[in-house]
Amino acid sequence: MGKNINILEQNILNKECRKHFENRESSKKTSFVKESTSQVERPESKEKDILNKISELAQEHFHTLKRYPSKKELYTVNLITDGYLETSFMISSLLKVCITALDAECTPNSVVPEPEQNIREVLGYILNMIPYEEMEFLDKIRDILPDLETKRQS
């Protein structure tokens, strides 16, 4: 099932939709036939229905990209893993594929027109996947553990 969008994302989406509809309505200068209000659909309620539908669709479908916290124009993609060991195996597998690709003939074809560029991109992704901060944390934990071992023996 889909993931709920947070309130900030929903507010941004609502604001953009309102802006779009305001621009559309002002340029169109809507003219309704004067009839009883039960027969004429009010533009505000129609807009609300559309915004509600868009919000429902957003909750259903917007779950892969997450806004990068410090830059509005950037997004992050999370990889789901079982932990550091699986992440390390993923990085290792990506590196092995790149090594194999570099050893092979890099002849462009219709499927991969620029193999060198694709390999370069994957290597960049791999560098970004390496959990440096977590590894620093693990080093600090490792430095603490021998102190714990000597305390247990005392």
Side-chain angles (χ1 to χ4, degrees), residues 101-147:
L102 288 171
D103 286 343
E105 237 181 81
C106 286
T107 309
N109 59 46
S110 62
V111 177
V112 186
E114 298 178 44
E116 297 88 2
Q117 176 61 28
N118 296 115
I119 295 168
R120 204 173 291 115
E121 282 182 40
V122 169
L123 290 170
Y125 298 148
I126 294 167
L127 282 174
N128 290 330
M129 288 176 67
I130 298 172
Y132 293 108
E133 292 82 11
E134 287 86 347
M135 296 303 172
E136 183 179 353
F137 169 75
L138 291 172
D139 280 341
K140 289 177 182 178
I141 294 297
R142 185 191 61 213
D143 291 343
I144 293 171
L145 286 178
D147 294 338

Side-chain angles (χ1 to χ4, degrees), residues 55-72:
S55 291
E56 288 173 21
L57 290 171
Q59 289 177 2
E60 237 178 272
H61 297 286
F62 285 156
H63 52 82
T64 302
L65 295 179
K66 310 278 187 266
R67 281 220 183 266
Y68 192 74
S70 61
K71 293 191 177 186
K72 288 182 183 176

Side-chain angles (χ1 to χ4, degrees), residues 5 7 9 12 18 21 28 34 42 49 53 60 64 76 79 88-89 99-100 108 113 116 122 137 145 147 152:
I5 60 174
I7 213 76
E9 292 168 326
I12 291 169
R18 267 189 240 107
F21 285 116
K28 201 162 91 172
K34 293 188 179 183
R42 295 178 51 206
D49 289 344
K53 182 65 176 171
E60 237 178 272
T64 302
T76 63
L79 294 173
S88 297
F89 285 134
I99 290 167
T100 304
E116 297 88 2
V122 169
F137 169 75
L145 286 178
D147 294 338
R152 279 188 213 160

